[in-house]
């Protein structure tokens, strides 16, 4: 073969290879095909199951009217649900996990990972394993079930990791609303301190709420506007969270033996009762106010938070004086 012809052929082959490498990018990764972590239509998701390696798990179920239930029992915190679904809709692959960190990422997913299953009409839409943050703290290790390749995921424009949005503790998912009424929705309010200084407010008298003692004897009130303000205070009253220990012995002792500090019961116009029982909470490592600034004596109980139970639920809640102080009035406060 003529040397010039051979050189021409080699040049053409080289040009062809360069064109293929530059334009076709055979080493490139189509993330949607290999690691499509997001769910485009999150509105179709009606059940989510999340479990961690210690066995803590929660099932979140969407009801027909749009709200979510925790373990088919308690109403879910709407803001947490919106954040999780927003995460599933917007997260993308940040980068594939490098060979050097792959074993570390897979090990983390295997020992500390959280599993999250997403369903629509009883069909599995996606199952993910969520690990810890990447060394740069700007991504989260994730793996799709059935794949051996882990990826770093993120939400564009958000710096941080996403693991904390996949919560396996069912208590954390619960809605924290205690009382959320307009005055027009309230039929009766009863506050009982166990010392005779409680009271009842009858709110059925055409915008003229009446104050009574616990024996149903009316109390003469000169400032009706204060009473109206009080009835209007049962709006957006939330508890602070759940006691971190959930000690069974303590909870049984409170239910069976302890004298409640106060019980607040609201009856709505449908005769549905909502009752919150407060107990004095011992001082612990979270207590900030330890001494009475007037007497300089140590407090024997937490002045900022109470232990509490809601209705028949035996989960031990924490309620802040800062939030509930406006409704913790006594009969003599109404003059």
């Amino acid at each position: 073969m003529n040397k010039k012809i051979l050189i021409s052929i080699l040049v053409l082959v080289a040009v062809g290879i360069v064109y293929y490498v530059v334009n076709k990018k055979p080493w490139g990764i189509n993330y949607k095909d290999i690691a499509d972590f997001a769910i485009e239509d999150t509105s179709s998701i009606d059940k989510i199951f999340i479990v961690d390696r210690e066995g803590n798990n929660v099932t979140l179920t969407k009801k027909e009217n749009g709200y979510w239930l925790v373990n088919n029992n308690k109403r879910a915190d709407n803001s947490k649900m919106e954040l999780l679904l927003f995460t599933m809709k917007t997260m993308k692959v940040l980068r594939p996990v490098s060979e050097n960190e792959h074993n570390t990422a897979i090990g983390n997913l295997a020992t500390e990972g959280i599993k999250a299953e997403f369903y629509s009409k009883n069909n599995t839409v996606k199952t993910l394993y969520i690990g810890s943050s990447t060394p740069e703290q700007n991504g989260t290790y994730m793996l799709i079930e059935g794949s051996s390749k882990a990826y770093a995921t993120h939400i564009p424009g958000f710096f941080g990791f996403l693991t904390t949005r996949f919560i396996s503790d069912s208590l954390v998912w619960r809605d924290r609303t205690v009382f959320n009424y307009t005055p027009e929705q309230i039929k009766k309010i009863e506050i009982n301190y166990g010392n005779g200084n409680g009271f009842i407010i009858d709110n059925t008298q055409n915008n003229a709420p009446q104050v009574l003692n616990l024996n149903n004897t009316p109390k003469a009130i000169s400032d009706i506007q204060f009473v109206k303000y009080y009835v209007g205070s049962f709006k957006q009253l939330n508890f602070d969270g759940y006691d971190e220990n959930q000690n069974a012995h303590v909870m049984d002792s409170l239910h069976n033996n302890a004298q409640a500090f106060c019980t607040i019961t609201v009856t709505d116009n449908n005769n549905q009762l909502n009752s919150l029982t407060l107990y004095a909470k011992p001082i612990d490592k979270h207590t900030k106010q330890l001494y009475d600034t007037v007497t300089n004596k140590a407090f024997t109980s937490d002045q900022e938070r109470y232990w509490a139970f809601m209705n028949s639920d035996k989960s031990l809640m924490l309620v802040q004086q800062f939030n509930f102080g406006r409704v913790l009035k006594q009969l003599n406060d109404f003059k």
Side-chain angles (χ1 to χ4, degrees):
M1 180 180 293
N2 187 297
K3 186 176 181 180
K4 289 184 178 180
I5 296 175
L6 179 59
I7 292 175
S8 299
I9 292 173
L10 292 175
V11 169
L12 288 173
V13 171
V15 170
I17 292 173
V18 170
Y19 175 83
Y20 179 74
V21 167
V22 171
N23 291 280
K24 300 300 183 180
K25 299 177 182 176
W27 69 86
I29 297 175
N30 185 327
Y31 293 128
K32 184 173 180 59
D33 291 341
I34 297 177
D36 184 14
F37 289 88
I39 297 175
E40 184 174 352
D41 182 17
T42 54
S43 64
S44 67
I45 300 300
D46 53 26
K47 188 173 79 169
I48 303 169
F49 176 72
I50 303 174
V51 61
D52 64 23
R53 294 297 178 183
E54 296 179 356
N56 303 307
N57 66 85
V58 63
T59 300
L60 306 165
T61 309
K62 188 177 182 180
K63 309 309 289 184
E64 291 182 358
N65 57 4
Y67 70 85
W68 290 76
L69 288 182
V70 180
N71 292 337
N72 211 31
N73 184 6
K74 301 294 182 181
R75 193 156 182 163
D77 185 322
N78 189 56
S79 63
K80 288 186 174 67
M81 289 303 313
E82 289 181 350
L83 182 61
L84 176 59
L85 293 173
F86 171 80
T87 301
M88 290 304 303
K89 187 178 182 68
T90 58
M91 70 177 178
K92 298 182 182 300
V93 167
L94 174 65
R95 59 175 176 79
V97 171
S98 67
E99 291 185 8
N100 291 335
E101 63 179 326
H102 188 263
N103 289 342
T104 300
I106 293 298
N108 170 260
L109 288 163
T111 57
E112 302 178 23
I114 296 170
K115 182 179 182 181
E117 301 172 351
F118 296 84
Y119 296 87
S120 177
K121 298 178 180 179
N122 294 321
N123 295 316
T124 304
V125 175
K126 195 145 297 186
T127 299
L128 305 181
Y129 294 89
I130 302 97
S132 63
S133 65
T134 58
E136 321 86 78
Q137 301 290 313
N138 66 342
T140 305
Y141 290 130
M142 289 193 190
L143 179 73
I144 291 182
E145 188 169 67
S147 172
S148 60
K149 180 66 176 177
Y151 290 85
T153 63
H154 74 141
I155 293 177
F158 170 74
F159 186 88
F161 60 100
L162 310 176
T163 312
T164 54
R165 304 183 183 192
F166 298 84
I167 305 166
S168 57
D169 186 341
S170 62
L171 290 181
V172 178
W173 277 107
R174 290 187 184 181
D175 179 36
R176 297 188 179 185
T177 302
V178 177
F179 301 117
N180 191 23
Y181 299 100
T182 63
E184 295 76 20
Q185 294 174 315
I186 295 175
K187 180 179 181 179
K188 185 174 75 171
I189 299 168
E190 181 173 343
I191 310 289
N192 193 337
Y193 291 95
N195 59 5
N197 202 26
F199 60 90
I200 297 170
I201 293 182
D202 180 350
N203 195 43
T204 62
Q205 306 301 315
N206 297 321
N207 201 33
Q210 187 177 27
V211 180
L212 309 94
N213 65 23
L214 294 178
N215 294 321
N216 287 309
T217 301
K219 179 180 175 65
I221 300 296
S222 59
D223 189 358
I224 191 65
Q225 292 303 320
F226 177 75
V227 184
K228 290 182 178 180
Y229 169 80
Y230 180 80
V231 174
S233 297
F234 284 82
K235 182 76 173 175
Q236 295 181 341
L237 280 172
N238 303 329
F239 67 93
D240 193 41
Y242 287 95
D243 187 85
E244 60 187 1
N245 296 317
Q246 293 296 309
N247 186 293
H249 174 73
V250 170
M251 292 188 285
D252 288 341
S253 178
L254 291 174
H255 276 294
N256 299 324
N257 304 312
Q259 175 66 47
F261 164 69
C262 175
T263 299
I264 308 170
T265 304
V266 178
T267 306
D268 67 17
N269 290 327
N270 296 318
N271 290 319
Q272 296 294 313
L273 275 66
N274 236 355
S275 184
L276 181 73
T277 304
L278 305 178
Y279 296 86
K281 176 185 169 297
I283 287 178
D284 61 17
K285 63 182 180 180
H286 300 296
T287 304
K288 297 178 181 178
Q289 191 175 350
L290 299 176
Y291 295 92
D292 187 322
T293 56
V294 177
T295 65
N296 205 34
K297 292 183 178 180
F299 287 120
T300 58
S301 62
D302 196 321
Q303 302 297 295
E304 299 170 324
R305 296 187 300 173
Y306 303 94
W307 275 334
F309 294 105
M310 187 73 182
N311 298 321
S312 60
D313 191 342
K314 293 187 177 182
S315 301
L316 189 58
M317 301 159 50
L318 295 171
V319 168
Q320 284 193 19
Q321 169 69 23
F322 178 81
N323 292 329
F324 278 78
R326 67 182 193 244
V327 299
L328 291 175
K329 304 300 183 183
Q330 299 194 16
L331 181 62
N332 292 335
D333 292 321
F334 297 90
K335 300 178 180 180

